Structure formats: C-alpha cells, structure tokens
Amino acid sequence: NAGVTQTPKFRILKIGQSMTLQCTQDMNHNYMYWYRQDPGMGLKLIYYSVGAGITDKGEVPNGYNVSRSTTEDFPLRLELAAPSQTSVYFCASRTPGQGEQYFGPGTRLTVT
Amino acid sequence: GNSVTQMEGPVTLSEEAFLTINCTYTATGYPSLFWYVQYPGEGLQLLLKATKADDKGSNKGFEATYRKETTSFHLEKGSVQVSDSAVYFCALMNNAGNNRKLIWGLGTSLAVNP
C-alpha cells in the first residue's frame, strides 16, 4: 500500500492564482482530512469528509473548497490565493472508530 | 467541550537525558488518547496510544499512561537520542458521540543535542 499520497510536494503561487492540492489514499478509509500547519505552529483543520459525497468545514475553511467524489480522493481547491495561505498542507485519513490517522508527506505552498 | 493542553516548547535536552512532555485533556465520556510524532520535513505518524484508563501505550522506548484521575497522558522516555528530535503532538478521540475529528494539542518541539 502506498498509504496517503499528496501532490505536488512544493508549489509557488502568485497572489490571485488558483490551484488544487491532490490527496489519494489506498486504504479504503472513510474519513479524510485536510490540515494546514504554519511555521512553528500546530495543526488547523480546514475541511474533512466522512465518506464519498459528504464534506464538512473545519476550523479554517475560508478560501478553500473540497470535494469527495470517490472514497480514495479528497482534493483541496484554493481559489484566489493569498499570502496568508502560505503554509504546509497535510492530508490524512482514518477508519471510523479508530483514532490512528495516516498522514501524507505534505505540500509546501508559498503565495507571493 | 473537548480539549488537549500540552506543555509549551521548545524542549532542549542532552543525549541520554530523561524526557517528559506533559499532556492534559478535557473530555466528556471516555476518550482514546494518542501521541503523534512529526520528524523534520515529514507528516505526522502515530507514536503510541491508549484507549482506556490505566492503559500504558509504548513504542520506541516512549511510554505514556492514561490517568483518568488526573486527566493526563504524559509522554516519557528514559534516555533520549539525537534521532528523537521532532515535534510531538498529543491528541484525543472522543468515543462518545461525535468522534469524527481528533482534538489536537499544539505540539511540543524537542531538540536533543549530542
């Protein structure tokens, strides 16, 4: 199993550009999450999903959108990128009832 | 509501020193408790867990005991190594009601010097 994969690893965006961060898991996990981690800070939940077709907002959803059309994929869309969205983005997944979350390697995004 | 409080870092130790990172929680019901570790440049990974009171989770020389009476889950290691330098996160999952999201502490950075 590849686990949780994320692409790209790094990206530089100009202010106002848009992009999609990809996340795929091959563990058949129902629950998937997007977090951002600012330098020296903890995790902040952006969006999460408990199954295909179901998404919900986390703590910091503004400026982002998600979709979940399949169990495997949970892309995160940034519209009109802003410098405040400079961060490292982590995708994670888990099975309901099990606390262990499996994290991807992260996408380091810089908006200038 | 549910919350997790970790001791603030950074923590700097010499190799072979004893490590304690404090974690206390607030939760309704009987949560499961976790420690995750994040090595530089990587995502988080589960270090250890405990699912009920008095359970002890252990892995890679790290231990933590689920203390319901003090609502704590402190992480300990008897002799740290340079390779233990990382950020450590305490987290809980509430097993009663809505357990869709894990509740995370802010993380504690550990630097171990040779």
Side-chain angles (χ1 to χ4, degrees):
Chain A
N1 287 349
V4 179
T5 57
Q6 292 183 238
T7 57
K9 284 186 168 47
F10 304 93
R11 184 72 186 268
I12 298 174
L13 282 182
K14 294 191 185 306
I15 295 171
Q17 288 185 321
S18 300
M19 76 164 292
T20 298
L21 281 66
Q22 301 292 345
C23 175
T24 300
Q25 53 91 9
D26 63 359
M27 297 172 283
N28 202 32
H29 287 166
N30 286 344
Y31 289 6
M32 294 188 75
Y33 305 83
W34 274 107
Y35 295 94
R36 60 176 286 173
Q37 185 179 36
D38 298 331
M41 304 291 286
L43 300 174
K44 292 188 178 177
L45 182 64
I46 305 171
Y47 271 95
Y48 67 103
S49 168
V50 299
I54 305 169
T55 62
D56 209 346
K57 295 177 181 179
E59 305 168 69
V60 291
N62 291 346
Y64 306 94
N65 276 300
V66 293
S67 60
R68 185 96 182 270
S69 56
T70 67
T71 298
E72 294 78 20
D73 300 307
F74 190 41
L76 177 71
R77 178 82 177 161
L78 278 72
E79 305 282 1
L80 299 175
S84 61
Q85 293 177 306
T86 294
S87 191
V88 181
Y89 291 83
F90 290 102
C91 179
S93 72
R94 70 179 178 103
T95 297
Q98 298 293 321
E100 179 168 7
Q101 284 193 351
Y102 293 81
F103 282 78
T107 294
R108 187 174 298 273
L109 175 68
T110 302
V111 182
T112 62
Chain B
N2 300 320
S3 66
V4 173
T5 303
Q6 283 182 242
M7 65 185 282
E8 288 191 26
V11 174
T12 302
L13 295 173
S14 297
E15 211 165 20
E16 300 184 2
F18 184 85
L19 168 71
T20 300
I21 300 178
N22 290 339
C23 172
T24 57
Y25 68 90
T26 303
T28 54
Y30 302 92
S32 296
L33 300 171
F34 308 87
W35 277 101
Y36 281 76
V37 59
Q38 183 180 29
Y39 297 106
E42 298 183 11
L44 282 71
Q45 57 186 275
L46 181 68
L47 179 60
L48 54 84
K49 67 180 181 182
T51 58
K52 61 183 187 298
D54 299 325
D55 267 3
K56 178 186 283 188
S58 61
N59 187 22
K60 299 182 181 180
F62 291 88
E63 293 183 341
T65 300
Y66 187 149
R67 303 277 188 208
K68 190 163 177 61
E69 63 276 12
T70 54
T71 61
S72 64
F73 193 54
H74 305 321
L75 182 68
E76 296 182 336
K77 186 174 185 183
S79 176
V80 294
Q81 305 301 311
V82 172
S83 57
D84 294 326
S85 298
V87 180
Y88 294 82
F89 291 89
C90 186
L92 75 80
M93 180 179 76
N94 200 327
N95 294 310
N98 186 344
N99 65 355
R100 296 177 171 188
K101 297 179 284 185
L102 294 191
I103 309 301
W104 296 90
L106 294 181
T108 302
S109 175
L110 170 66
V112 180
N113 297 320

